[in-house]
Amino acid sequence: MITRFACTFIFLLSAGVALAQPLQRTLYARVRVGQVTIDGKLNEKVWADAPIATSFTQNAPHPGAPSVERTAVSILYDDEAVYIGAMLYERDADSILKQLSPRDDFENSATDAFGVTFDTYYDRQNATQFVVTAAGVQADGIVKFDNVDRSWNAAWYSRVAYTDSGWSVEMKIPYSALRFPKKDIQLWGVNFLRIIRRYRERSYWNKVDPAVQNVIGQSGRLDSVNNIKAPIRLALLPYMSAYAQNYDNENSGSINGGLDIKYGINEGFTLDMTLIPDFGQTRFDNRVLNLSAIEVRYDERRYFFTEGVDLFNKNDLFYSRRVGGTPVEAFRPYSELSAGEVVESNPANTRLYNAFKISGRNRSRTGIGVFNAVSAPSRAVVRDTVTGIERSVETSPLTNYNVLVVDQALRNNSYISFINTNVTRAGKVYDADVSALLFRFADKANRYGVTGSTDVSQLFRTGNTDVGYRALLNVGKQSGNYTWSLNSKLITDKFNPNDLGYLDRNNIMSLLYYNTYNTYKPFGRINTTYNKIGLEYYRSYAPDAFMKSAMHGNHVITFTSFHTVGAYWDAQPGVMYDYLEPRSPGRFYRLPANNMAGGFVSSDYRRRFALDLEASKRWFGSSPRQVFYWSVSPRYRFSDKLSAVYSFWSEDKANDVGFVKRIDDSVFLGTRKLHTMVNSLTTSYIFNSTMSLKLDARHYWSQAEYSDYGFLEQDGTLAATTYNTDHNINYNSFNVFMNFVWQFRPGSEMSVVYQNSIYSSGSTLVPDYGTDLRQTLQAPQSNSLSLKIIYFLDYQTMSRMFHPREGAQG
């Protein structure tokens, strides 16, 4: 019998003969002499004299093969910036794909692209990427191993031009957009990327093997960048905004102003600060009906909290939606109501006073990040309906949020990190503190590795402290066609990082084993395949008891036509003991053995019309309980400027069983029919590479119809009960978001946003979609129109105003 100590295991790893490391190529940069105009034409003499990087190698669809088309790239630099000039040759210049897209959103567009990645500290793990599409659209991001964070935006210059031989691009990346060590002789990692969309080709200057993890570790070297100095990195982003809002025929409006500051403390570290935060243009959440015991995790949409936070995203200990989020005692006013009192108002979110973050990496490859924010107290208003007297109830005190991260990059794609999060509240409300140590160690060939972490959480309450622990360990083969991993997890019942982080559940132990076999080189009509099979075993921590075991698989084939099909399945052969749904410590509900199977089809996105289809079904043995899901999503590209994507999905859960009420020690569950439908439409019209209009519309409809209720016995079965309270619910979320963005100069933009939102919930079930939609549109709704202008003003720009000199023209 596996006990709680089964989640801590000892392994013996024999690597055998290590794979030979791929040859690393070197490019020599040239000092810029004379003026360079960033117009994409490469007609200055300095480009002709610069060393050239050529002979790109495919990463897909034919890994290791030469690129179908020739590419030539050169790099120049001066005291202000680094310059990239690239000629992307084409046998047929008319075949260049150049669909316009919003900034940072080119991956699924029918466009060719060129990019450069700089690993300025040469730690083989962290890099900065800059991409320009054939339509002239910019994209940039922070890269960690294989993951790109496109929320990061820098101010840089680029232009493209077209010739009979293909297309060309010039880029000017100011040093203010880069961080690099303070030394006379620089050694940077560099790689160049080319995407030829009509071939689905992705090629690199320094070979990147898709079977090897860590694309940054497979970069080339950039030499001869000498005697450059980090500039004074000071940028001011003043903004002005105006808002008009109508809710249920009540109008309101405001005019606001504020300032964001970016300051380079030294060559490696940057301070980001927002003074008088303004998040008025943050789009509404796509809310859902949540009947489960697990909190819904919504995306962060506030720019300050999405830009440049890659260093803080470790172990889900920093979930920025907690900052300025729901007050910690939001439900207190309702629990303290006296006879005749009602809650007149209760703010759904707290207001931020200010926030700042400091992040960077030093020449020892040590990354350090500090985040701090302060939110104002929040109060609800309670009114006596008889006397009219109002009183206030504090729902959140003055609160300080703090995050500290230290991340040390090691050799062989390894690292060790420490993170601490702390929430300190004024008054008697509890405080919270979480610390974690994370690590990753890999062999020199990056074939085998071990990752893990240990966390401790502390909730400081009056008179006592709740202490919880989490331990994660993963060991496996991570490169090659065949990979495997063995994962162990232990989370105690009192581990709780959710004052500033996110954890879907605690009180669990698991042991997971996965086998994956992928093919990357085409054979016959098949281009690539992906196959994964896993075994899973779960136990409750307290009490130490079996929960479930499962086996599942996922299989995907992409054909040479670039149509993709996939199948997935899941088998839980024995009884499952659900310790989460009863929402009472130590209690569980027994579910019968069940199985699931599904599949999908996705056509080639290069074509004007593409279609995605998916369906799955889960059944529970002889039980009438089942789940059926299906979806359809067509997309159409009307032109290189106009495109639309429609999505519809439906899920029906028959004879589902879920928690409805707890009275003292008695737990009641209900048998219900759940029906959910979602319609969404996304359209975009891109005027040019700096101006776009996007519309998102979504209607979410979900209802739960209860047919029976049961009393939960100690053995996990349901017994008949007289409990018969109506828990039916009909829920709707309807959102429209329209956004016009004009980037009128690098780092500066004007945005106009229109939003409409309707949220309705009731116990009366609606028989059909048409009736539900009509009723939803008649419900109270919020409409808002806003204008915001942000102007990017950096030290170099201000300096050139007063001291003009010859240089590159952006």
Side-chain angles (χ1 to χ4, degrees):
M1 178 178 180
I2 299 181
T3 68
R4 68 179 58 207
F5 299 105
C7 293
T8 304
F9 54 85
I10 302 174
F11 64 90
L12 179 63
L13 185 65
S14 177
V17 180
L19 289 174
Q21 292 290 292
L23 179 66
Q24 187 179 38
R25 306 175 72 183
T26 300
L27 176 66
Y28 296 92
R30 178 68 58 86
V31 176
R32 179 186 65 80
V33 178
Q35 182 170 302
V36 172
T37 301
I38 305 300
D39 56 10
K41 296 181 179 179
L42 301 177
N43 51 9
E44 292 88 358
K45 184 177 183 299
V46 66
W47 289 120
D49 297 336
I52 297 174
T54 187
S55 300
F56 281 45
T57 302
Q58 290 190 45
N59 171 263
H62 301 276
S67 174
V68 174
E69 303 287 357
R70 181 171 177 259
T71 305
V73 188
S74 297
I75 289 185
L76 309 172
Y77 71 96
D78 58 17
D79 293 335
E80 180 184 352
V82 59
Y83 307 83
I84 297 95
M87 182 65 212
L88 302 106
Y89 293 93
E90 290 281 357
R91 296 181 180 88
D92 180 6
D94 292 334
S95 64
I96 301 171
L97 295 180
K98 42 191 173 185
Q99 180 187 1
L100 286 158
S101 66
R103 181 188 173 108
D104 292 327
D105 191 17
F106 71 95
E107 294 288 355
N108 287 324
S109 300
T111 183
D112 294 356
F114 169 81
V116 58
T117 302
F118 289 119
D119 173 11
T120 53
Y121 285 90
Y122 201 62
D123 64 13
R124 317 288 282 167
Q125 301 177 25
N126 302 276
T128 310
Q129 185 183 74
F130 304 88
V131 178
V132 181
T133 74
V137 177
Q138 289 185 347
D140 45 23
I142 301 294
V143 187
K144 176 73 172 181
F145 291 115
D146 295 312
N147 302 312
V148 184
D149 176 12
R150 297 242 177 258
S151 64
W152 178 81
N153 287 319
W156 50 288
Y157 305 87
S158 64
R159 289 290 186 274
V160 299
Y162 309 102
T163 71
D164 293 338
S165 302
W167 63 288
S168 55
V169 58
E170 284 182 309
M171 304 162 67
K172 175 186 176 182
I173 303 171
Y175 294 139
S176 58
L178 297 170
R179 301 173 184 176
F180 48 85
K182 186 178 181 180
K183 54 185 181 181
D184 293 335
I185 300 176
Q186 300 283 328
L187 173 59
W188 294 359
V190 69
N191 214 346
F192 305 107
L193 162 70
R194 181 174 182 182
I195 297 174
I196 307 176
R197 186 66 174 172
R198 68 184 184 281
Y199 299 135
R200 282 290 188 100
E201 180 185 307
R202 193 178 188 92
S203 59
Y204 291 88
W205 168 63
N206 201 84
K207 178 183 175 182
V208 174
D209 186 344
V212 176
Q213 285 190 354
N214 188 10
V215 65
I216 302 304
Q218 301 179 68
S219 297
R221 289 166 50 116
L222 180 65
D223 282 356
S224 299
V225 178
N226 301 328
N227 301 311
I228 62 173
K229 306 296 182 185
I232 296 176
R233 292 188 292 118
L234 173 63
L236 306 178
L237 289 90
Y239 64 82
M240 183 201 73
S241 58
Y243 300 93
Q245 185 170 6
N246 174 279
Y247 178 73
D248 201 17
N249 296 320
E250 293 187 7
N251 298 318
S252 62
S254 63
I255 297 177
N256 306 312
L259 177 68
D260 289 350
I261 300 173
K262 294 179 179 288
Y263 175 64
I265 299 172
N266 56 29
E267 73 277 3
F269 291 87
T270 300
L271 165 68
D272 292 273
M273 177 177 291
T274 179
L275 304 176
I276 316 177
D278 177 22
F279 303 125
Q281 287 195 329
T282 302
R283 65 181 296 173
F284 297 128
D285 290 322
N286 289 329
R287 296 186 189 175
V288 299
L289 173 63
N290 182 23
L291 299 178
S292 74
I294 297 176
E295 175 192 9
V296 176
R297 179 168 183 164
Y298 291 108
D299 293 336
E300 176 61 87
R301 302 183 187 275
R302 297 169 296 178
Y303 178 75
F304 179 82
F305 293 100
T306 60
E307 196 268 344
V309 295
D310 56 294
L311 189 61
F312 301 95
N313 293 331
K314 298 184 182 300
N315 263 23
D316 277 337
L317 294 183
F318 179 49
Y319 176 38
S320 56
R321 288 290 297 258
R322 307 291 188 203
V323 182
T326 304
V328 65
E329 294 187 305
F331 296 101
R332 178 185 170 193
Y334 303 97
S335 65
E336 297 181 354
L337 289 177
S338 300
E341 287 187 327
V342 295
V343 177
E344 189 73 12
S345 64
N346 189 7
N349 297 289
T350 56
R351 181 172 61 90
L352 280 185
Y353 281 143
N354 56 61
F356 74 85
K357 54 180 181 277
I358 298 173
S359 61
R361 196 168 292 272
N362 62 26
R363 63 191 303 171
S364 299
R365 305 190 298 176
T366 303
I368 300 175
V370 177
F371 169 88
N372 186 269
V374 178
S375 65
S378 179
R379 291 182 174 274
V381 176
V382 174
R383 179 174 58 86
D384 189 310
T385 57
V386 177
T387 65
I389 297 176
E390 294 183 345
R391 63 184 177 90
S392 65
V393 178
E394 185 177 75
T395 57
S396 182
L398 180 73
T399 305
N400 182 83
Y401 302 88
N402 195 79
V403 183
L404 170 66
V405 179
V406 180
D407 175 64
Q408 180 62 57
L410 306 174
R411 301 175 64 180
N412 301 332
N413 304 303
S414 304
Y415 64 80
I416 186 167
S417 303
F418 171 80
I419 180 171
N420 173 265
T421 66
N422 181 274
V423 179
T424 302
R425 301 180 174 97
K428 298 180 180 180
V429 182
Y430 73 92
D431 300 328
D433 186 274
V434 183
S435 296
L437 183 68
L438 305 87
F439 61 87
R440 179 181 191 268
F441 301 110
D443 65 350
K444 187 175 182 180
N446 199 27
R447 292 189 67 190
Y448 297 92
V450 55
T451 61
S453 64
T454 58
D455 309 51
V456 57
S457 69
Q458 300 178 87
L459 303 183
F460 301 100
R461 307 181 190 274
T462 302
N464 71 291
T465 300
D466 292 337
V467 181
Y469 302 93
R470 174 173 63 180
L472 308 173
L473 187 62
N474 172 288
V475 59
K477 181 177 182 290
Q478 55 198 22
S479 296
N481 295 84
Y482 171 69
T483 60
W484 59 266
S485 66
L486 186 61
N487 307 279
S488 175
K489 174 169 64 177
L490 185 152
I491 307 177
T492 68
D493 56 328
K494 292 187 177 181
F495 180 74
N496 183 3
N498 284 353
D499 285 271
L500 193 48
Y502 179 87
L503 178 67
D504 56 0
R505 67 173 300 171
N506 57 14
N507 193 34
I508 191 171
M509 302 181 293
S510 65
L511 191 62
L512 316 175
Y513 177 70
Y514 300 111
N515 282 279
T516 303
Y517 186 81
N518 302 327
T519 62
Y520 303 99
K521 294 186 177 181
F523 57 95
R525 295 187 177 183
I526 295 177
N527 189 52
T528 61
T529 66
Y530 169 85
N531 295 277
K532 183 176 183 178
I533 295 178
L535 300 173
E536 301 182 348
Y537 181 88
Y538 295 91
R539 295 185 70 84
S540 166
Y541 175 82
D544 178 16
F546 171 78
M547 289 173 56
K548 73 171 184 177
S549 60
M551 181 177 183
H552 60 84
N554 192 6
H555 315 279
V556 181
I557 298 175
T558 299
F559 298 97
T560 53
S561 61
F562 295 104
H563 299 310
T564 299
V565 298
Y568 47 89
W569 53 271
D570 176 79
Q572 298 180 23
V575 174
M576 172 183 170
Y577 298 85
D578 188 347
Y579 281 86
L580 196 60
E581 193 61 37
R583 307 178 200 188
S584 181
R587 302 295 299 277
F588 61 86
Y589 170 65
R590 291 169 56 105
L591 281 85
N594 60 90
N595 301 282
M596 183 273 292
F600 69 90
V601 176
S602 180
S603 66
D604 183 4
Y605 281 13
R606 295 174 303 172
R607 301 181 183 273
R608 283 187 176 272
F609 176 78
L611 182 66
D612 293 304
L613 300 170
E614 184 176 359
S616 66
K617 182 177 181 179
R618 181 177 293 276
W619 59 97
F620 294 76
S622 59
S623 168
R625 182 172 182 172
Q626 64 177 18
V627 181
F628 180 70
Y629 167 90
W630 68 280
S631 69
V632 56
S633 179
R635 59 179 61 219
Y636 191 77
R637 187 176 73 254
F638 298 92
S639 68
D640 283 342
K641 294 186 176 183
L642 177 63
S643 62
V645 179
Y646 170 73
S647 177
F648 170 85
W649 65 265
S650 173
E651 184 180 65
D652 289 281
K653 296 182 177 181
N655 294 287
D656 183 71
V657 177
F659 174 86
V660 291
K661 188 74 172 180
R662 179 182 174 184
I663 303 175
D664 296 327
D665 293 330
S666 299
V667 177
F668 299 91
L669 304 184
T671 301
R672 61 202 180 190
K673 179 174 68 175
L674 299 177
H675 174 65
T676 302
M677 291 176 56
V678 180
N679 282 277
S680 63
L681 175 67
T682 298
T683 61
S684 59
Y685 186 85
I686 315 300
F687 299 90
N688 53 46
S689 61
T690 60
M691 190 182 298
S692 64
L693 176 66
K694 188 174 183 179
L695 169 69
D696 285 317
R698 173 184 179 268
H699 179 210
Y700 172 96
W701 174 38
S702 185
Q703 61 178 209
E705 181 179 2
Y706 287 83
S707 58
D708 193 18
Y709 299 97
F711 172 79
L712 183 64
E713 300 277 14
Q714 292 296 326
D715 64 356
T717 60
L718 293 181
T721 179
T722 58
Y723 181 88
N724 196 30
T725 303
D726 183 9
H727 287 276
N728 290 347
I729 184 170
N730 192 84
Y731 179 85
N732 283 273
S733 170
F734 185 92
N735 295 318
V736 175
F737 180 85
M738 181 179 290
N739 186 22
F740 170 80
V741 177
W742 174 33
Q743 187 181 22
F744 53 88
R745 68 185 303 271
S748 304
E749 71 175 36
M750 179 185 77
S751 58
V752 180
V753 172
Y754 168 75
Q755 297 195 68
N756 171 274
S757 65
I758 305 172
Y759 303 112
S760 66
S761 180
S763 60
T764 302
L765 301 180
V766 180
D768 60 79
Y769 180 78
T771 303
D772 180 81
L773 180 60
R774 286 192 296 271
Q775 291 184 3
T776 300
L777 295 177
Q778 293 171 3
Q781 54 186 275
S782 173
N783 292 276
S784 66
L785 180 66
S786 59
L787 167 69
K788 189 173 185 178
I789 299 174
I790 304 173
Y791 194 84
F792 179 84
L793 192 61
D794 67 341
Y795 178 84
Q796 285 70 35
T797 301
M798 293 184 286
S799 177
R800 285 196 299 270
M801 291 179 181
F802 301 101
H803 305 285
R805 59 189 177 90
E806 183 188 45
Q809 306 299 309

